[in-house]
């Protein structure tokens, strides 16, 4: 594709003021040398000014309110996802550290085997999961009230 053809594709965007500074500069330079493109650019400029003079349609009632509510809901959902991911990562690290520390403590205090350790290690998990779920539920309720 030649430079002339590339510029022709940019003429409508130039008339609407949608080009970046560098592209607009290239178009203006080309228009100084090319009468055909300059005439076409004038046509597009006339169309753009005519469209700009048309009255804008009225906005539907409540559009802004509905849009703000949708954006707020999306932001809250994203915050919930991030919080859930962070909580899961922290809980995983804490569970791993507790398991390692508990294993060493269990081995130091008893001479029991693996089954005693398995029985003992289920207690913190059975407490931590409902506690984490309660924290997440409370935070979601607080966000809904705002």
């Amino acid at each position: 594709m030649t430079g002339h053809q590339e510029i022709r594709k940019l003429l409508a965007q130039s008339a609407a003021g949608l080009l970046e500074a560098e592209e607009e500069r290239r178009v203006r330079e080309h228009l100084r040398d090319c009468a055909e493109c300059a005439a076409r650019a004038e046509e597009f400029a006339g169309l753009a000014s005519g469209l700009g003079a048309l009255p804008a349609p009225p906005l539907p009632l409540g559009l802004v309110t509905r849009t703000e509510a949708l954006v707020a809901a999306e932001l809250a959902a994203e915050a919930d996802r991030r919080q859930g991911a962070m909580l899961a990562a922290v809980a995983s690290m804490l569970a791993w550290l507790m398991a390692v520390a508990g294993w060493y403590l269990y081995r130091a205090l008893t001479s029991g085997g693996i089954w005693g350790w398995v029985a003992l290690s289920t207690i913190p998990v059975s407490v931590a999961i409902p506690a984490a779920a309660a924290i997440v539920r409370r935070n979601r309720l607080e966000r809904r009230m705002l």
Side-chain angles (χ1 to χ4, degrees):
M1 183 180 310
T2 66
H4 179 75
Q5 291 170 335
E6 289 177 16
I7 296 298
R8 283 185 66 92
K9 289 184 178 188
L10 297 176
L11 291 178
Q13 294 172 2
S14 175
L18 300 175
L19 293 180
E20 294 180 7
E22 177 61 29
E23 289 177 321
E24 187 66 37
R25 184 191 59 76
R26 284 182 43 223
V27 168
R28 294 293 163 217
E29 286 177 2
H30 181 78
L31 293 180
R32 281 191 303 244
D33 299 332
C34 181
E36 180 185 347
C37 287
R40 186 84 167 145
E42 280 188 44
E43 291 175 19
F44 280 127
L47 288 172
S49 66
L51 288 173
L54 291 175
L59 294 177
L61 294 175
L63 177 66
V64 172
T65 306
R66 289 192 314 265
T67 303
E68 287 175 346
L70 288 171
V71 169
E74 182 61 32
L75 290 173
E78 179 63 28
D80 282 345
R81 285 190 291 271
R82 269 187 267 128
Q83 181 185 22
M86 181 61 80
L87 186 59
V90 169
S92 298
M93 292 297 291
L94 184 60
W96 184 80
L97 289 172
M98 287 176 59
V100 170
W103 174 253
Y104 284 117
L105 184 63
Y106 178 75
R107 295 290 292 188
L109 297 177
T110 66
S111 62
I114 189 75
W115 295 112
W117 161 248
V118 170
L120 183 65
S121 66
T122 57
I123 295 170
V125 172
S126 63
V127 172
I129 291 175
I135 291 170
V136 170
R137 274 194 303 273
R138 185 195 64 187
N139 287 343
R140 286 182 180 164
L141 284 175
E142 286 175 359
R143 278 200 200 95
R144 287 183 190 146
M145 288 183 201
L146 297 176

